[in-house]
Amino acid sequence: MTAPGTGRRFTRLVRPWTPSLSSGELATVLNRLRSWNPFDGGALLDDVAVVLDDVLPAEEATEEIAERLRGHLIRLSNIAIAAEAERDPAAVRPIEQARTLRCEDLPGDHWTAIGHLRRLGWTANELLERLVAVRCLKEAE
C-alpha cells in the first residue's frame, strides 16, 4: 500500500464521449423499441387452429382473424429475409406465397373468405415450420 499522495497519476487526456446517434435518432430508436411486439408463436398457432378447425369462424370475426394472420405472415417473412432463409429452396415457395396472400383483400362472400383464411393459415403454418427447420426460430409451444 502506498501513502496518500504518492501514488502514480495518469496524465493522458481522454476525449469527451460523443453519442453515435443524434437526439432525434435516439428518440426514433426508443419509440420503435416501445412499440415493438416480439414474435409470439403460440398466438400464431392459435390463429392457425381457429381457421383450420372443423368449426368455422363466425362471419363477423373473419376480418379480424385475417388481419392477425396477415400480421403473422409479415413478421414471418421479415424473419425469413433477415435470417436469409430465402436461400433455402424449400422456404422460397412459402415466402412468396406469404407475400402474395397478405396483399390480397378478404373476399366478401363468407365461404370464399373462409377459403382465403385457410390459405393464410396453411401458409403461416408452413412458413413457421420451415423457419424452425432451418433454425431461424425455436419451435413454437
Side-chain angles (χ1 to χ4, degrees):
M1 195 156 117
T2 59
T6 61
R8 216 172 124 195
R9 293 186 177 219
F10 294 99
T11 58
R12 187 172 65 170
L13 297 176
V14 178
R15 285 183 285 135
W17 177 79
T18 56
S20 57
L21 299 174
S22 70
S23 62
E25 292 168 327
L26 286 171
T28 301
V29 170
L30 179 61
N31 289 333
R32 287 184 180 175
L33 285 173
R34 285 180 176 159
S35 65
W36 175 66
N37 291 321
F39 174 73
D40 186 357
L44 179 140
L45 292 177
D46 288 344
D47 289 337
V48 168
V50 165
V51 298
L52 298 181
D53 194 14
D54 291 338
V55 178
L56 300 178
E59 190 169 352
E60 310 82 49
T62 56
E63 186 63 45
E64 180 185 338
I65 296 168
E67 282 303 310
R68 288 197 313 259
L69 286 169
R70 285 186 197 112
H72 293 310
L73 288 175
I74 290 169
R75 183 165 280 140
L76 289 171
S77 297
N78 289 341
I79 291 169
I81 291 166
E84 298 181 356
E86 68 258 2
R87 292 183 184 180
D88 176 27
V92 172
R93 189 187 61 74
I95 291 171
E96 288 302 318
Q97 192 172 6
R99 287 178 181 157
T100 302
L101 282 173
R102 71 180 193 221
C103 295
E104 290 180 10
D105 291 330
L106 189 66
D109 176 53
H110 182 62
W111 289 106
T112 311
I114 294 297
H116 182 71
L117 287 177
R118 289 189 172 189
R119 282 190 301 278
L120 287 169
W122 275 112
T123 302
N125 190 51
E126 187 177 356
L127 189 51
L128 174 66
E129 287 178 354
R130 194 67 223 148
L131 291 175
V132 168
V134 295
R135 298 179 186 233
C136 292
L137 288 173
K138 291 183 180 180
E139 191 166 355
E141 298 174 5

